[in-house]
Amino acid sequence: MCGIVGLFLKDKALEPKLGAMLSEMLICLTDRGPDSAGIAIYGAATGNEAKITIQSPKPERDFHGLDVELAKAINAPVSVAVKSTHAVIRTTPEKVEPARVALRSLRPDVRIMGAGEAVEIYKEVGLPEAVVERFDVRSMTGTHGIGHTRMATESAVTTLGAHPFSTGADQCLVHNGSLSNHNNVRRELVREGMKFETENDTEVAAAYLSSKIAHGKNLGEALEGTLSDLDGFYTFVVGTKNGFGVVRDPIACKPAVMAETEQYVAFGSEYRALANLPGIENAKVWEPEPATVYFWEH
C-alpha cells in the first residue's frame, strides 16, 4: 500500500502554488506509506539551462566547493543550490552528460536523483511532512508534478529506493503495486544498455518507459506498452518535460481517482488527496478505467 498524487496545471495562474498544492495532497496520504516520500516538480524549460538533482549522505562534505570543481572539470559555468541532503546543479544542456561523468570521480558518494531541463526530484526516508519541510517544497513553482509516499514491499527502505524513479531526461515515475516479471524485464533492458541502481521493481518500470520513449514512442504509446509487457498489479503516474500520464493494470485493484477542471488535472490514490483543490466541487471526478491510458501534454 502506497500513496500517489499528481497535478498537471492548465492555468498558469496556479503555477506559483504548485508546490504547496502538491505537498498538501501528498501529506493527506501519509498513512498509506510511512517509510519514505518524494516529489518531482516540473518548471518551464528555457532551452538554455539544464538541471541535475543530486543527493548525498554527507552533504556538508560533498557539496562544499562542488560548483568550482565541476565547472573546471566540464569547462562550463555551473551553479549549485543546496537544499538539505539534495542539491540542484545548473549548467548548459550539452554539459549534462559530461557533468554526470565528472560527478562519479569528483563525488563518488553522490547519487543522481534526476536530470533534465525542467525536473527537480526530492526524496528521502521519512514521512511526507518531513520531506516537504526539509526541501521547502511548498515554495516551489512549476507546471506539473507527481509525488509518492511509500510502504516498502519489494526492496529496502532507502533514499534510492524511494519514489519517484527517474531513468531518462525529464522522465520520472511513481508506482503503487507490485510487478511479477520485473527481473526478466530488467535483464532485457540491461542488454539494451540501461543501468540500474536498485533492486526496486519501480525502477524497472521507469526504465521500460524510458527505453520506449528513446525508441521513438510518445508517452501515451509507451504507457500502452506496459499493458502487454509488464505483469502484476500496478498504477503508474508518470511525468515528462511536457506531459503527465496515468495507467492502471487490467485488473485495477489499486485505488485511484482523478479530477479535471479548466484549471488542472489531478490524480490521487484516494479522493481525500483532491478534496481541498480549488474548484473541486465543480470538477469532473472519475475512477480511471482498467487497462486505459490517460495523458495530457502542454
Side-chain angles (χ1 to χ4, degrees):
M1 184 173 75
C2 298
I4 301 175
V5 297
L7 189 59
F8 179 88
L9 299 181
K10 303 177 184 179
D11 184 354
K12 286 186 173 294
L14 289 178
E15 292 181 7
K17 303 177 182 178
L18 176 67
M21 294 166 69
L22 199 60
S23 295
E24 297 314 313
M25 291 170 69
L26 189 61
I27 290 169
C28 283
L29 300 181
T30 295
D31 59 342
R32 294 190 63 86
D35 299 328
S36 57
I39 284 182
I41 297 284
Y42 286 84
T46 65
N48 55 15
E49 181 183 76
K51 299 180 283 188
I52 306 172
T53 310
I54 59 174
Q55 185 269 355
S56 171
K58 296 183 178 180
E60 297 86 358
R61 177 199 65 192
D62 286 334
F63 298 158
H64 179 71
L66 179 59
D67 53 349
V68 175
E69 294 178 54
L70 191 56
K72 182 178 179 181
I74 66 173
N75 192 30
V78 170
S79 69
V80 178
V82 176
K83 284 191 176 183
S84 185
T85 57
H86 288 45
V88 178
I89 300 169
R90 285 176 167 82
T91 187
T92 55
E94 67 274 9
K95 291 295 185 178
V96 168
E97 190 55 35
R100 293 176 74 116
V101 172
L103 280 168
R104 286 198 287 268
S105 59
L106 293 174
R107 299 292 191 274
D109 293 334
V110 158
R111 295 292 178 263
I112 294 174
M113 300 289 100
E117 295 183 31
V119 74
E120 297 179 21
I121 297 176
Y122 301 92
K123 58 184 187 178
E124 275 291 3
V125 172
L127 298 175
E129 178 72 42
V131 171
V132 164
E133 291 294 332
R134 169 177 275 186
F135 301 116
D136 193 23
V137 176
R138 289 187 179 93
S139 71
M140 297 186 70
T141 66
T143 57
H144 56 296
I146 62 177
H148 187 273
T149 183
R150 183 181 183 221
M151 180 177 288
T153 58
E154 294 293 331
S155 59
V157 179
T158 63
T159 301
L160 281 178
H163 304 208
F165 278 91
S166 179
T167 54
D170 283 315
Q171 299 168 23
C172 66
L173 176 146
V174 293
H175 170 209
N176 182 21
S178 179
L179 300 180
S180 57
N181 68 333
H182 60 96
N183 286 326
N184 290 337
V185 176
R186 185 195 306 270
R187 283 191 288 270
E188 293 173 8
L189 292 170
V190 167
R191 283 195 290 269
E192 288 184 18
M194 298 293 290
K195 296 180 180 179
F196 293 87
E197 294 193 79
T198 75
E199 295 300 316
N200 194 295
D201 59 338
T202 306
E203 188 180 13
V204 174
Y208 171 88
L209 293 178
S210 295
S211 174
K212 292 300 180 184
I213 291 171
H215 284 86
K217 303 290 187 182
N218 63 29
L219 174 58
E221 292 167 337
L223 288 171
E224 286 281 358
T226 67
L227 298 171
S228 57
D229 294 341
L230 301 182
D231 294 333
F233 304 113
Y234 55 83
T235 297
F236 297 139
V237 177
V238 180
T240 66
K241 181 166 65 174
N242 301 314
F244 169 79
V246 174
V247 68
R248 302 171 82 195
D249 68 83
I251 296 175
C253 65
K254 298 299 180 181
V257 62
M258 300 193 72
E260 184 170 13
T261 73
E262 292 183 354
Q263 292 184 295
Y264 58 79
V265 179
F267 176 96
S269 292
E270 299 179 36
Y271 178 77
R272 57 186 164 134
L274 314 182
N276 292 321
L277 291 174
I280 191 66
E281 64 277 5
N282 298 315
K284 173 190 173 184
V285 178
W286 76 100
E287 179 181 352
E289 294 290 333
T292 301
V293 171
Y294 302 84
F295 75 102
W296 293 260
E297 290 185 313
H298 287 121

